[in-house]
């Protein structure tokens, strides 16, 4: 008999009992942009329109033919420019074979990291998770994932676990720095311990894992590092000061990492991916509503995970920003300050935590 097929238990989504949303709830600017990208803004489709006009014996000097050809040339030039720009910025992709990769995910028991880990586990990849949460052996075996109980904010624990991973699976080649926590408090109500914990988990953990695992990748001459930041790293927000600041630090860290890897003799095949998602439908920000589902939709973790996995397996470096507004959020900083203030008021970003009932209040008396 052949090899036994691996049985996977069926799991209903957690929101299966929620009422269906009206059809227009799913109509977002992201969906429209994606459809246009595969149709009107796609060079191949643009040239098909030209061919259709020629099939009707439309003369080249006709206005509609000239418009169609001009549009096709424009889309082709933009497409070629994008390819050249990406090649200059990120270099050539590396070859990725999952059977030869060892994937490490921090904070991979739940949320986005847990989703990515389970996908790779189902595909029989060599994947391990570093997290403070415990997972029993039966569940780990069922998912095909190795779990290591580790506080990634502690450099010694990371170094100890790294030695175990090398012994158990081999040389680490993919690092997904995903661990993160949030304290929804104002600056004056935050304790020193909470701020330190946030930065240890969200920021210092990246330094610990990079110092530990990057040398393996450079010695191997290949690897991929994923830095999961947040759109709040660009914006900041009231009652999310420590979280936003810790995520903003990752933007600078990623830029420095990218530059240092590019200068290393063995860094050509070490790829770097920056992820700056908008609000995701995870438990971390449950109940927080965006001002406009059309312009700023809440995205599902699976959509972000899909982009990360696709980019890793294509062997490319990239900047992943979803939904659409997070890709262009940097434009906000060059607008007049009055316009910036009006946009922040309209978006409700500084009132979102309080309106969602997530604000943790703790009165701190001033010290004399």
């Amino acid at each position: 008999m052949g090899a036994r097929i691996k049985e996977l238990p069926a799991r209903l989504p957690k929101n299966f009992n929620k009422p269906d949303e009206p059809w227009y709830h799913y109509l977002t600017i992201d969906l429209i942009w994606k459809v246009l990208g595969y149709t009107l803004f796609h060079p191949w489709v643009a040239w098909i329109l030209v061919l259709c006009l020629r099939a009707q014996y439309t003369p080249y000097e006709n206005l509609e033919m000239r418009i169609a050809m001009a549009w096709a040339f424009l889309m082709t030039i933009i497409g070629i420019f994008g390819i050249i720009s990406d090649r200059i910025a990120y270099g050539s992709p590396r070859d990725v074979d999952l059977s030869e990769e060892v994937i490490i995910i921090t904070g991979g028991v739940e949320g986005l990291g847990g989703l990515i880990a389970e996908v790779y586990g189902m595909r029989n990849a060599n994947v391990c998770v570093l997290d403070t949460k415990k997972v029993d052996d039966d569940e780990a075996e069922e998912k095909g994932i190795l779990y290591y109980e580790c506080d990634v904010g502690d450099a010694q624990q990371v170094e100890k676990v790294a030695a175990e991973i090398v012994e158990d699976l081999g040389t680490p080649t993919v690092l997904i720095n995903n661990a993160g926590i949030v304290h929804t408090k104002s600056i004056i109500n935050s304790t020193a311990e909470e701020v330190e914990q946030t930065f240890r988990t969200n920021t210092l953990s990246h330094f610990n894992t990079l110092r530990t695992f990057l040398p393996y990748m450079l010695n191997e001459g290949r690897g991929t590092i994923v830095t999961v930041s947040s759109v709040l790293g660009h914006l900041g927000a009231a009652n999310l000061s420590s979280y936003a600041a810790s995520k903003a630090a990752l933007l600078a860290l990623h830029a420095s990492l990218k530059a240092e890897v590019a200068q290393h003799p063995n860094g050509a095949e070490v790829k770097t991916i920056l992820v700056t998602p908008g609000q995701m439908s995870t438990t971390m920000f449950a109940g927080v509503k965006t001002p406009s589902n059309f312009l700023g939709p809440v995205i599902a973790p699976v959509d972000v995970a899909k982009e990360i996995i696709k980019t890793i397996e294509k062997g490319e470096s990239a900047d992943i920003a979803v939904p659409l507004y997070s890709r262009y959020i940097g434009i906000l900083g060059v607008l007049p300050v009055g316009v910036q203030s009006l946009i922040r008021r309209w978006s409700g970003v500084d009132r979102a935590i309080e309106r969602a009932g997530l604000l943790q209040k703790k009165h701190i008396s001033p010290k004399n």
Side-chain angles (χ1 to χ4, degrees), residues 96-113:
V96 175
D97 183 349
L98 282 185
S99 64
E100 299 179 355
E101 305 289 336
V102 175
I103 304 166
I104 300 171
I105 305 173
T106 67
V109 171
E110 299 175 345
L112 174 64

Side-chain angles (χ1 to χ4, degrees), residues 179-198:
I181 61 171
V182 62
H183 289 289
T184 52
K185 288 186 175 183
S186 65
I187 296 173
I188 60 174
N189 286 336
S190 300
T191 65
E193 291 77 13
E194 289 168 341
V195 174
E196 181 180 353
Q197 182 190 28
T198 301

Side-chain angles (χ1 to χ4, degrees), residues 247-262:
K247 290 297 186 178
L250 296 181
L251 302 178
L253 173 59
H254 175 81
S256 299
L257 169 66
K258 182 179 176 181
E260 292 179 10
V261 168

